[in-house]
Amino acid sequence: MNAESGFPIKPVYGPADVPEGTGAEEPGEYPYTRGVYPTMYTKRPWTMRQYAGFGTAAESNARYHQLLAAGTMGLSVAFDLPTQMGYDSDEQIAHGEVGKVGVAIDSIDDMRLLFKDIPLDRVSTSMTINAPGSVLLLLYQLVAEEQGVPGSALQGTIQNDILKEYIARGTYIFPPKPSLRLVADTFAYCRAEIPKWNTISISGYHMAEAGASPAQEIAFTLANGIEYVRAAIAAGLAVDDFAPRLSFFFVARTTLLEEIAKFRAARRMWARIMRDEFGAQDPKSLMLRFHTQTAGVQLTAQQPEVNLIRVAIQALGAIAGGTQSLHTNSYDEALALPTEKSARLALRTQQVLAYESGLTGTVDPFAGSYAVEALTDAVEREATALIDRVFEYGSAVDAIEQGFQKGEIEASAYRIATEIDSGERVVVGVNRFAAESEEKYEPLRVDPAIEAAQVARLARLRADRDGPAVQDALKDLAKAAAGSVNVLPLMKEALRLRATVGEVCHTLRGVWGVHRPVERF
């Protein structure tokens, strides 16, 4: 049997498969293979998040209140495609996509409604937003200030990982170099204004959803992390001033032991990279802290209730691997947006694991396992070799521009697909144990009238605001973007005056241009 990363898995592992002394390391000690904190979950469980957002800000706000009442410990915001791409809901290109895969946020008015009656000093909020990540963060900060909450009290994460968009996901706007400048500006701004905020969530999840193997997932993610660190240092930031606020985002698949090994290997690799390549001194700079989401790509439309079991196994792997926060997918996500009931069941999965399984009683229970320790070493070897190949191109950006990571992921996706088609890799309910008939499922549907309502809201906003002041603020932003000063304070002023997300992004497009990928044939 082969691991998803490609190396063979032995039927039996023993002492000869692991170096002497393996598993003797203490949790919370360099290189953090066994976890970044000495006590891990024995004092408090991981943060339980549920990724949610659909339709209007008011509808999403209602779902957040439901999740908080059910015991969610942190919010995770899904944005619709126009918002992710920096377009307003009334633009022609947004037609048909408003509110479909997440919530539509066009201005501070929408952000205010999204977090109505949610005290932002008491929740941790993760926002899955990349190219316009700084814009949405500033809107969040402005709403918090209206609540009387200072930036120093805000906790959460913006994904803000633009490099993986060029590799796997595609919601980029600007070319790589100005995009990296915007990331570095965000690091510097948050250090001064929102010091507890995680300024980036360097993401392997979307690469995994596109077909990356576990070794590819951590290799290409850590290579992107190296690129971000280099960009921040080149912008004049000291590594220990920003590195403690870096975070990561990984997938959890159903291949339980390999996933546990993957997380352990990633922690060890990042600690060594930060110490040996960048000379980081602060222990927090060496700690790979990460959020995990269970693997949506492994959920099936056939026999969807079986996804409850898949999600539980995936969550178990993330927890045993030492995640800091976790989102469990709803069983019906292969069919539609989750219903209220299915979202609650997904949260209950985490709660059963936290409070009934005994997993929180001890730290890194797989330490010393011959199989897991050997798999950890194997994943690390595969991932290290891939990182070396990335930097043979010069940098992660150079490799992206040559299509290296994308090509490797596509080859992995093809390999897995052919294994499923041949029956070599079993998917229950799809290529084995199929049901003769499926029960009818009633999905959650987004009302198409949402788009018209958002367009009307934008028309009222533009009529009510001080238009000349907004235009002056956008001109100031354009001047800053053309120079070298940090653009976030000027973006914040434009947003405070009720400039829209689209207007801010179009201003930057006018200065920096847009990314046009080179097709490889």
Side-chain angles (χ1 to χ4, degrees):
M1 176 182 176
N2 282 345
E4 283 204 21
S5 296
F7 54 80
I9 294 179
K10 296 172 61 172
V12 178
Y13 287 91
D17 295 299
V18 296
E20 187 175 348
T22 295
E25 165 196 312
E26 291 298 319
E29 293 184 359
Y30 178 89
Y32 306 105
T33 309
R34 298 195 61 193
V36 292
Y37 304 121
T39 57
M40 289 302 290
Y41 311 133
T42 60
K43 300 296 184 183
R44 59 184 292 270
W46 59 93
T47 300
M48 299 179 195
R49 298 189 187 277
Q50 286 306 111
Y51 184 49
F54 61 94
T56 66
E59 288 176 298
S60 293
N61 175 263
R63 174 62 63 87
Y64 296 155
H65 280 285
Q66 292 163 0
L67 289 169
L68 289 168
T72 293
M73 298 155 63
L75 300 175
S76 187
V77 183
F79 297 96
D80 73 355
L81 192 57
T83 304
Q84 293 181 48
M85 297 294 290
Y87 293 109
D88 289 330
S89 296
D90 59 356
E91 297 188 55
Q92 182 60 38
I93 196 171
H95 179 61
E97 290 293 338
V98 176
K100 286 291 180 67
V101 299
V103 62
I105 299 294
D106 292 312
S107 72
I108 190 172
D109 293 6
D110 291 326
M111 188 65 88
R112 188 183 295 123
L113 189 54
L114 183 66
F115 290 101
K116 183 180 179 183
D117 297 326
I118 296 175
L120 298 186
D121 56 344
R122 298 186 210 165
V123 297
S124 170
T125 301
S126 173
M127 293 188 277
T128 303
I129 193 77
N130 293 282
S134 54
V135 182
L136 276 297
L137 173 60
L138 292 170
L139 288 174
Y140 187 84
Q141 183 188 16
L142 286 165
V143 170
E145 288 173 354
E146 291 178 352
Q147 292 185 2
V149 177
S152 59
L154 296 179
Q155 296 188 65
T157 306
I158 46 171
Q159 195 161 102
N160 199 29
D161 175 11
I162 199 62
L163 292 181
K164 65 94 174 48
E165 298 295 327
Y166 304 118
I167 295 171
R169 193 161 175 265
T171 63
Y172 46 72
I173 300 175
F174 317 113
K177 287 184 179 178
S179 294
L180 285 173
R181 178 224 172 143
L182 188 55
V183 169
D185 280 359
T186 305
F187 289 176
Y189 178 85
C190 287
R191 179 172 180 265
E193 300 291 334
I194 319 177
K196 295 180 182 178
W197 197 266
N198 296 317
T199 50
I200 193 169
S201 179
I202 307 166
S203 175
Y205 180 88
H206 303 94
M207 290 187 271
E209 293 282 283
S213 70
Q216 288 175 339
E217 178 192 357
I218 62 170
F220 298 152
T221 303
L222 298 189
N224 286 350
I226 291 168
E227 195 73 23
Y228 291 125
V229 173
R230 289 178 176 176
I233 291 172
L237 301 178
V239 64
D240 286 323
D241 284 345
F242 67 86
R245 303 317 306 172
L246 302 180
S247 65
F248 292 79
F249 176 25
F250 295 118
V251 77
R253 301 170 181 81
T254 52
T255 45
L256 181 67
L257 297 183
E258 187 178 1
E259 290 299 286
I260 294 170
K262 176 192 76 179
F263 297 128
R264 300 172 91 247
R267 269 195 300 273
R268 188 159 72 196
M269 292 171 68
W270 186 247
R272 290 172 176 163
I273 287 167
M274 293 304 292
R275 186 192 69 174
D276 299 343
E277 182 167 342
F278 296 109
Q281 300 294 314
D282 186 341
K284 292 182 179 178
S285 297
L286 312 180
M287 296 178 184
L288 184 144
R289 298 168 302 111
F290 63 96
H291 169 71
T292 309
Q293 182 172 337
T294 55
V297 73
Q298 291 187 320
L299 303 186
T300 64
Q302 300 92 331
Q303 301 181 44
E305 292 86 354
V306 177
N307 293 329
L308 287 164
I309 295 94
R310 292 188 178 101
V311 169
I313 293 170
Q314 293 162 358
L316 175 61
I319 296 161
T323 193
Q324 274 60 68
S325 71
L326 177 62
H327 163 85
T328 35
N329 288 330
S330 301
Y331 75 90
D332 52 357
E333 288 190 35
L335 297 165
L337 289 170
T339 62
E340 180 183 345
K341 178 181 179 181
S342 66
R344 186 170 58 250
L345 280 170
L347 176 60
R348 295 290 183 251
T349 301
Q350 294 200 51
Q351 291 166 335
V352 168
L353 289 170
Y355 301 110
E356 295 187 24
S357 71
L359 277 173
T360 58
T362 189
V363 179
D364 190 23
F366 285 87
S369 158
Y370 298 134
V372 169
E373 296 290 1
L375 289 171
T376 301
D377 292 344
V379 172
E380 182 179 9
R381 282 194 300 272
E382 293 287 326
T384 299
L386 280 168
I387 290 175
D388 290 343
R389 290 180 65 192
V390 167
F391 288 104
E392 286 174 4
Y393 288 85
S395 71
V397 171
D398 293 328
I400 287 167
E401 290 176 342
Q402 294 298 313
F404 170 67
Q405 297 96 321
K406 188 171 184 289
E408 292 293 302
I409 290 169
E410 287 170 351
S412 173
Y414 179 76
R415 174 175 61 84
I416 296 296
T418 56
E419 290 175 1
I420 292 171
D421 289 344
S422 70
E424 179 183 352
R425 185 175 296 274
V426 175
V427 180
V428 173
V430 175
N431 63 4
R432 197 181 296 183
F433 313 116
E436 291 184 5
S437 62
E438 298 282 348
E439 294 181 12
K440 185 178 179 181
Y441 171 79
E442 189 60 40
L444 176 68
R445 301 190 186 279
V446 175
D447 187 346
I450 284 170
E451 182 173 331
Q454 281 296 115
V455 169
R457 281 173 62 81
L458 278 166
R460 289 195 299 272
L461 176 142
R462 291 192 173 102
D464 294 343
R465 71 187 183 183
D466 186 341
V470 170
Q471 292 307 311
D472 287 344
L474 292 173
K475 288 176 184 176
D476 291 340
L477 173 60
K479 290 177 184 176
S484 59
V485 300
N486 194 312
V487 296
L488 267 73
L490 293 157
M491 287 168 55
K492 183 182 179 186
E493 177 59 15
L495 294 165
R496 186 186 66 78
L497 293 168
R498 302 173 80 196
T500 67
V501 171
E503 288 167 343
V504 168
C505 290
H506 286 316
T507 298
L508 297 177
R509 282 183 178 97
V511 179
W512 293 339
V514 296
H515 177 64
R516 305 289 184 192
V518 177
E519 294 295 335
R520 301 176 77 231
F521 297 98

